[in-house]
Amino acid sequence: MILIGLLIIALGAFCQSSSYVPIKKIKSWNWESFWLVQGIFAWLVFPLAGALLAVPEGESLIRLFTSNPEASLATIGYGALWGIGGLTFGLSMRYLGVALGQSISLGTCAALGTILAPVFTGHAADIKTSVIIGVVVTLVGIAIIGVAGSMKAKTAGNDSTVKEFNFTKGISVALLAAFMSACFNIGLYAGAQLHFENVNPLFTTLPATFLVTFGGFVTNAAYCLYQNQRNSSWSDYAAKPSLWLNNLMLCALAGVLWYSQFFGLAIGKGFLEESPALYTFAFCILMALNVTFSNVWGIILKEWKGCSGKTIAVLIVGLAVLIISSFLPQII
């Protein structure tokens, strides 16, 4: 059962790491326009569809949320903070590329989210020694990948595959993104009671997931609309039908791929209940696997092209450490 849960989480991680590939193929739209449209799918449409799976016949999400107003508002609030992390997360990839940007942001987010979520919501007892060791090893893996990124900056500072590559600025933005993005897991903990009785355990966290992504959508939508006004990019939404269809389909694909990570996390955790340490560590596992798969895409997209063999070797060591960290709580 545990292996099934880990495989489901891994599949979700692979989908998430693939979600930025269709975005790269969007034509003619400014960043704020395609980010808003893909966000409608990633943070509203698909999370709502997932949450509805956890609603028994004769019940409604509205009743669930209004009967637990404090938990619902707290979950949305953490989602809004996570949304800020999502905005800066995009900037981290702008300055570091898909591979390194996701590695630093998601890896640090994994550690912070795993530790801070139980602490902030009164469940600090869930943090076992094995979980702490797993988090520490995850951070070691991220540090090694950071070294590889620094080596890349020295040998490929003018790398044409990442036009605005800036290691110092990218690291600063990535760490901010990581801290704010950790609020996603805190939001899931805050909304742990937001589920109906006797619902399928595999779907228990999906209503809370929807509220977190809803909060993130509000933050991102406000910023994107502000940028539309500032950059006079409203004309993007008035593009010819053929362009609209092309970009809409790509945004929808990116949205469902992105949401798959948290749908997979919810389903996967249902198979991890027999291992409390892995259950607590599940968010860290997801983020670590996101890093691993994002670097696979980074290699495919030639973001590490031109780097020395030594740099690639350091990168591979960092990825190996991340993979090992995903299983440590179960082994220890």
Side-chain angles (χ1 to χ4, degrees), residues 41-60:
F41 290 103
W43 307 320
L44 289 182
V45 175
F46 293 115
L48 176 59
L52 291 175
L53 294 174
V55 180
E57 186 176 354
E59 297 287 358
S60 71

Side-chain angles (χ1 to χ4, degrees), residues 18-30:
S18 305
S19 66
Y20 295 94
V21 176
I23 284 180
K24 285 179 171 289
K25 297 183 180 298
I26 291 175
K27 301 177 181 178
S28 301
W29 280 3
N30 289 280

Side-chain angles (χ1 to χ4, degrees), residues 3 7 93 116 157 171 191 210 215 219 281 320:
L3 180 59
L7 288 174
M93 290 189 295
L116 295 181
I171 287 293
F210 169 63
T219 303
F281 198 60

Side-chain angles (χ1 to χ4, degrees), residues 178-202:
F179 182 80
M180 302 304 288
S181 295
C183 290
F184 197 106
N185 201 37
I186 300 174
L188 292 181
Y189 267 72
Q193 62 182 291
L194 297 174
H195 62 83
F196 292 101
E197 297 297 329
N198 302 319
V199 70
N200 189 324
L202 300 180

Side-chain angles (χ1 to χ4, degrees), residues 31-116:
W31 176 89
E32 58 269 19
S33 301
F34 73 68
W35 193 253
L36 175 60
V37 176
Q38 70 84 32
I40 292 174
F41 290 103
W43 307 320
L44 289 182
V45 175
F46 293 115
L48 176 59
L52 291 175
L53 294 174
V55 180
E57 186 176 354
E59 297 287 358
S60 71
L61 284 175
I62 296 297
R63 193 186 79 78
L64 174 65
F65 296 149
T66 55
S67 63
N68 299 276
E70 291 186 6
S72 297
L73 290 175
T75 305
I76 293 173
Y78 282 120
L81 294 175
W82 162 76
I84 297 174
L87 289 170
T88 49
F89 178 63
L91 285 176
S92 72
M93 290 189 295
R94 175 179 176 180
Y95 296 126
L96 297 175
V98 171
L100 187 57
Q102 289 207 55
S103 296
I104 302 300
S105 297
L106 295 180
T108 310
C109 170
L112 293 176
T114 301
I115 298 297
L116 295 181

Side-chain angles (χ1 to χ4, degrees), residues 11 25 49 62 73 77 139 262 275 294:
L11 178 60
K25 297 183 180 298
I62 296 297
L73 290 175
L139 289 174
F262 292 113
S275 175
S294 69

